[in-house]
Coordinates of all heavy atoms in Angstrom, one line a residue:
M1 N 111.1 80.2 97.4 CA 110.0 80.9 98.0 C 110.4 82.4 98.3 O 111.4 82.6 98.9 CB 109.5 80.2 99.2 CG 108.3 80.9 99.9 SD 107.8 79.9 101.3 CE 107.0 81.2 102.3
E2 N 109.6 83.3 97.8 CA 109.8 84.7 98.0 C 109.6 85.1 99.5 O 108.6 84.7 100.1 CB 109.0 85.5 97.1 CG 109.2 87.0 97.2 CD 108.3 87.8 96.3 OE1 107.7 87.2 95.4 OE2 108.3 89.0 96.4
V3 N 110.5 85.8 100.1 CA 110.4 86.2 101.4 C 109.6 87.5 101.5 O 110.0 88.5 100.8 CB 111.8 86.4 102.1 CG1 111.6 87.0 103.5 CG2 112.5 85.1 102.1
K4 N 108.6 87.5 102.2 CA 107.8 88.8 102.4 C 108.3 89.6 103.5 O 108.7 89.1 104.5 CB 106.3 88.4 102.6 CG 105.6 87.7 101.5 CD 104.2 87.6 101.7 CE 103.5 87.0 100.5 NZ 102.0 86.9 100.6
R5 N 108.4 90.9 103.2 CA 108.8 91.8 104.2 C 107.8 92.9 104.4 O 107.2 93.4 103.5 CB 110.2 92.5 103.8 CG 111.3 91.5 103.7 CD 112.6 92.2 103.3 NE 113.7 91.3 103.2 CZ 114.5 91.0 104.3 NH1 114.2 91.5 105.5 NH2 115.5 90.1 104.2
C6 N 107.8 93.4 105.7 CA 106.9 94.5 106.0 C 107.3 95.7 105.3 O 108.5 96.1 105.2 CB 106.9 94.7 107.5 SG 106.0 96.2 108.0
I7 N 106.3 96.4 104.7 CA 106.6 97.6 103.8 C 107.1 98.7 104.7 O 107.8 99.6 104.2 CB 105.4 98.0 103.0 CG1 105.8 98.9 101.9 CG2 104.3 98.5 103.9 CD1 104.7 99.2 100.9
S8 N 106.8 98.7 106.0 CA 107.2 99.8 106.9 C 108.5 99.6 107.6 O 109.4 100.4 107.6 CB 106.1 100.1 107.9 OG 104.9 100.5 107.3
T9 N 108.7 98.4 108.1 CA 109.8 98.1 108.9 C 110.8 97.2 108.2 O 112.0 97.0 108.7 CB 109.4 97.4 110.3 OG1 108.8 96.1 109.9 CG2 108.4 98.2 111.0
N10 N 110.5 96.6 107.1 CA 111.3 95.8 106.3 C 111.7 94.5 107.0 O 112.6 93.8 106.6 CB 112.6 96.5 105.9 CG 113.2 95.9 104.7 OD1 112.5 95.4 103.8 ND2 114.5 95.8 104.6
E11 N 111.0 94.1 108.1 CA 111.3 92.9 108.8 C 110.6 91.7 108.1 O 109.5 91.9 107.4 CB 110.8 93.0 110.2 CG 109.3 93.1 110.4 CD 108.9 93.3 111.8 OE1 109.3 92.5 112.7 OE2 108.2 94.3 112.1
R12 N 111.1 90.6 108.2 CA 110.6 89.4 107.5 C 109.3 89.0 108.2 O 109.1 89.1 109.4 CB 111.6 88.2 107.6 CG 112.8 88.5 106.8 CD 113.9 87.4 107.0 NE 113.4 86.1 106.6 CZ 114.2 85.1 106.3 NH1 115.5 85.3 106.3 NH2 113.7 84.0 105.9
I13 N 108.3 88.6 107.3 CA 107.0 88.3 107.8 C 106.8 86.8 108.2 O 105.9 86.4 108.8 CB 106.0 88.7 106.7 CG1 106.0 90.2 106.6 CG2 104.5 88.3 107.1 CD1 105.7 91.0 107.8
T14 N 107.8 86.0 107.8 CA 107.6 84.5 108.0 C 107.3 84.2 109.5 O 108.0 84.7 110.4 CB 109.0 83.8 107.7 OG1 109.4 84.2 106.4 CG2 108.8 82.3 107.8
N15 N 106.2 83.6 109.7 CA 105.7 83.2 111.0 C 105.5 84.4 111.9 O 105.6 84.3 113.1 CB 106.7 82.2 111.7 CG 106.8 80.9 111.0 OD1 105.8 80.5 110.4 ND2 108.0 80.3 111.0
N16 N 105.2 85.5 111.3 CA 105.0 86.7 112.1 C 103.5 86.8 112.3 O 102.7 87.4 111.5 CB 105.5 87.9 111.3 CG 105.4 89.2 112.2 OD1 104.7 89.2 113.2 ND2 106.2 90.2 111.8
V17 N 103.0 86.3 113.4 CA 101.6 86.3 113.7 C 101.1 87.7 113.9 O 101.7 88.5 114.6 CB 101.3 85.4 115.0 CG1 99.8 85.5 115.4 CG2 101.8 84.0 114.8
G18 N 100.0 88.0 113.3 CA 99.4 89.3 113.5 C 99.7 90.2 112.3 O 99.2 91.3 112.2
S19 N 100.5 89.7 111.4 CA 100.8 90.5 110.2 C 99.6 90.5 109.2 O 98.8 89.5 109.3 CB 102.1 90.0 109.5 OG 101.9 88.7 109.0
V20 N 99.6 91.4 108.4 CA 98.5 91.5 107.4 C 99.0 91.8 106.0 O 100.0 92.5 105.9 CB 97.4 92.5 107.8 CG1 96.7 92.1 109.1 CG2 98.0 93.9 107.9
S21 N 98.3 91.4 105.0 CA 98.6 91.8 103.7 C 97.3 92.1 103.0 O 96.3 91.4 103.2 CB 99.4 90.7 102.9 OG 98.6 89.5 102.8
F22 N 97.4 93.1 102.2 CA 96.2 93.5 101.5 C 96.6 94.3 100.2 O 97.7 94.8 100.1 CB 95.3 94.4 102.4 CG 96.0 95.6 103.0 CD1 96.0 96.8 102.4 CD2 96.7 95.4 104.2 CE1 96.6 97.9 102.9 CE2 97.3 96.5 104.7 CZ 97.3 97.8 104.1
K23 N 95.7 94.4 99.3 CA 95.9 95.2 98.1 C 95.9 96.7 98.4 O 95.1 97.1 99.3 CB 94.9 94.9 97.0 CG 94.9 93.5 96.6 CD 96.2 93.1 95.8 CE 96.1 91.7 95.2 NZ 97.3 91.3 94.5
C24 N 96.8 97.4 97.8 CA 96.9 98.8 98.0 C 95.5 99.5 97.8 O 94.9 99.3 96.7 CB 97.9 99.4 97.1 SG 97.9 101.2 97.0
P25 N 95.0 100.3 98.7 CA 93.7 101.0 98.6 C 93.8 102.0 97.4 O 92.7 102.4 96.9 CB 93.5 101.7 99.9 CG 94.5 101.0 100.9 CD 95.6 100.6 100.0
G26 N 95.0 102.4 97.1 CA 95.1 103.4 96.0 C 95.0 102.9 94.6 O 94.1 103.3 93.8
C27 N 95.8 101.9 94.3 CA 95.8 101.3 93.0 C 95.2 100.0 92.9 O 94.8 99.5 91.8 CB 97.3 101.3 92.4 SG 98.4 100.2 93.4
G28 N 95.0 99.3 94.1 CA 94.3 98.0 94.1 C 95.1 96.9 93.4 O 94.6 95.9 93.1
D29 N 96.4 97.2 93.3 CA 97.2 96.2 92.6 C 98.4 95.8 93.4 O 98.7 94.6 93.6 CB 97.7 96.9 91.3 CG 98.5 95.9 90.5 OD1 98.1 94.7 90.5 OD2 99.5 96.3 89.8
Y30 N 99.1 96.7 94.0 CA 100.3 96.3 94.8 C 99.9 95.7 96.1 O 99.0 96.2 96.8 CB 101.2 97.6 95.0 CG 102.5 97.2 95.6 CD1 103.6 96.9 94.7 CD2 102.8 97.3 97.0 CE1 104.8 96.6 95.3 CE2 104.0 96.9 97.5 CZ 105.0 96.6 96.6 OH 106.3 96.3 97.1
E31 N 100.6 94.6 96.5 CA 100.3 94.0 97.8 C 101.1 94.6 98.9 O 102.3 94.6 99.0 CB 100.7 92.5 97.7 CG 100.2 91.8 99.0 CD 100.6 90.3 98.9 OE1 101.5 89.9 98.1 OE2 100.0 89.5 99.7
I32 N 100.3 95.2 99.8 CA 100.9 95.9 101.0 C 101.0 94.8 102.1 O 100.1 94.1 102.4 CB 100.0 97.0 101.5 CG1 99.7 98.1 100.4 CG2 100.6 97.7 102.7 CD1 100.9 98.8 100.0
I33 N 102.2 94.8 102.7 CA 102.4 93.8 103.8 C 102.8 94.6 105.0 O 103.7 95.4 105.0 CB 103.5 92.8 103.4 CG1 103.1 92.0 102.1 CG2 103.7 91.8 104.6 CD1 104.2 91.2 101.6
R34 N 102.1 94.3 106.1 CA 102.4 95.1 107.3 C 102.5 94.1 108.5 O 101.7 93.2 108.7 CB 101.3 96.1 107.7 CG 101.0 97.1 106.6 CD 100.1 98.2 107.0 NE 100.9 99.1 107.9 CZ 100.4 99.8 108.9 NH1 99.1 99.6 109.2 NH2 101.1 100.6 109.6
S35 N 103.6 94.2 109.2 CA 103.8 93.3 110.4 C 103.0 93.8 111.6 O 102.4 94.9 111.6 CB 105.3 93.4 110.8 OG 105.6 94.6 111.3
K36 N 102.9 92.9 112.5 CA 102.1 93.3 113.7 C 102.7 94.5 114.4 O 102.0 95.4 114.9 CB 102.1 92.1 114.7 CG 101.4 92.3 116.0 CD 101.4 91.1 116.9 CE 100.6 91.3 118.1 NZ 100.7 90.1 119.0
K37 N 104.1 94.5 114.4 CA 104.8 95.6 115.0 C 104.4 96.9 114.3 O 104.2 97.9 115.0 CB 106.3 95.4 115.0 CG 107.1 96.5 115.6 CD 108.6 96.1 115.4 CE 109.5 97.3 115.9 NZ 110.9 97.0 115.6
A38 N 104.5 96.9 113.0 CA 104.2 98.1 112.2 C 102.8 98.6 112.5 O 102.5 99.8 112.6 CB 104.3 97.8 110.7
R39 N 101.8 97.7 112.7 CA 100.5 98.1 113.0 C 100.4 98.7 114.4 O 99.7 99.6 114.7 CB 99.6 96.9 112.9 CG 99.4 96.3 111.5 CD 98.8 95.0 111.4 NE 97.4 95.1 111.9 CZ 96.7 94.0 112.4 NH1 97.3 92.9 112.5 NH2 95.5 94.2 112.8
Q40 N 101.2 98.1 115.3 CA 101.1 98.6 116.7 C 101.7 100.0 116.9 O 101.2 100.8 117.6 CB 101.9 97.6 117.6 CG 101.2 96.3 117.8 CD 102.1 95.3 118.7 OE1 103.3 95.3 118.6 NE2 101.4 94.4 119.4
I41 N 102.7 100.3 116.1 CA 103.3 101.6 116.2 C 102.7 102.5 115.1 O 103.2 103.6 115.0 CB 104.8 101.5 116.0 CG1 105.2 101.0 114.6 CG2 105.5 100.6 117.1 CD1 106.7 101.0 114.4
V42 N 101.7 102.0 114.4 CA 101.0 102.8 113.4 C 102.1 103.4 112.4 O 102.0 104.6 112.1 CB 100.2 103.9 114.0 CG1 99.1 104.4 112.9 CG2 99.4 103.4 115.2
A43 N 103.0 102.5 112.0 CA 104.0 102.9 111.0 C 103.3 103.2 109.7 O 102.5 102.5 109.2 CB 105.0 101.8 110.8
K44 N 103.8 104.3 109.1 CA 103.2 104.7 107.8 C 103.8 103.8 106.7 O 104.9 103.3 106.8 CB 103.5 106.2 107.5 CG 102.6 107.0 108.4 CD 102.7 108.5 107.9 CE 101.7 109.4 108.6 NZ 101.7 110.7 108.1
Y45 N 103.1 103.7 105.6 CA 103.6 103.0 104.4 C 103.3 103.8 103.2 O 102.4 104.6 103.1 CB 103.0 101.6 104.3 CG 101.5 101.6 104.1 CD1 101.0 101.7 102.9 CD2 100.7 101.4 105.2 CE1 99.6 101.6 102.7 CE2 99.3 101.4 105.0 CZ 98.8 101.5 103.8 OH 97.4 101.4 103.6
T46 N 104.1 103.6 102.2 CA 103.9 104.2 100.9 C 103.9 103.2 99.8 O 104.9 102.4 99.7 CB 105.0 105.3 100.6 OG1 105.0 106.3 101.6 CG2 104.8 106.0 99.2
C47 N 102.9 103.2 99.0 CA 102.8 102.2 97.9 C 103.9 102.7 96.8 O 103.8 103.8 96.4 CB 101.4 102.2 97.3 SG 101.4 101.2 95.8
P48 N 104.8 101.8 96.5 CA 105.9 102.1 95.5 C 105.3 102.2 94.1 O 106.0 102.7 93.2 CB 106.9 101.0 95.7 CG 106.1 99.8 96.2 CD 105.0 100.4 97.0
K49 N 104.1 101.8 94.0 CA 103.5 101.8 92.6 C 102.7 103.1 92.3 O 102.9 103.7 91.3 CB 102.6 100.6 92.5 CG 102.1 100.4 91.0 CD 101.6 98.9 90.8 CE 101.3 98.7 89.3 NZ 101.0 97.3 89.1
C50 N 101.9 103.5 93.3 CA 101.1 104.7 93.0 C 101.3 105.8 94.0 O 100.8 106.9 93.8 CB 99.6 104.3 93.0 SG 99.0 103.9 94.7
G51 N 102.1 105.6 95.0 CA 102.4 106.6 96.0 C 101.4 106.8 97.1 O 101.6 107.7 97.9
F52 N 100.5 105.9 97.1 CA 99.5 106.0 98.2 C 100.1 105.9 99.5 O 101.0 105.0 99.7 CB 98.4 105.0 98.0 CG 97.3 104.9 99.1 CD1 96.2 105.7 99.0 CD2 97.5 104.2 100.2 CE1 95.2 105.7 100.0 CE2 96.5 104.1 101.2 CZ 95.4 104.9 101.1
T53 N 99.8 106.7 100.5 CA 100.4 106.5 101.8 C 99.3 106.2 102.9 O 98.1 106.7 102.8 CB 101.1 107.8 102.3 OG1 100.1 108.9 102.2 CG2 102.3 108.1 101.4
G54 N 99.6 105.4 103.8 CA 98.6 105.0 104.8 C 99.3 104.8 106.1 O 100.5 104.9 106.2
P55 N 98.6 104.4 107.2 CA 97.2 104.0 107.2 C 96.2 105.2 107.2 O 95.0 104.9 107.2 CB 97.1 103.2 108.4 CG 98.1 103.7 109.3 CD 99.2 104.2 108.5
N56 N 96.7 106.4 107.2 CA 95.8 107.5 107.3 C 95.4 108.1 105.9 O 96.3 108.0 105.0 CB 96.4 108.6 108.2 CG 96.6 108.1 109.6 OD1 95.7 107.5 110.2 ND2 97.8 108.4 110.1
Ligands
LIG1 ZN1 99.2 101.6 95.1

């Protein structure tokens, strides 16, 4: 089983309540995974596929 990691903090998502995963808003293909912590600190992320940066 593949271990999912937060794209911002690189922490493992297993049993990480509050984490989210969604398709990249830029390319609609890459799966963005964000931990609860990353959301709380509003950590930025960059899609390795298209270069889209968020959450802003
Ligand atoms: Zn993308």
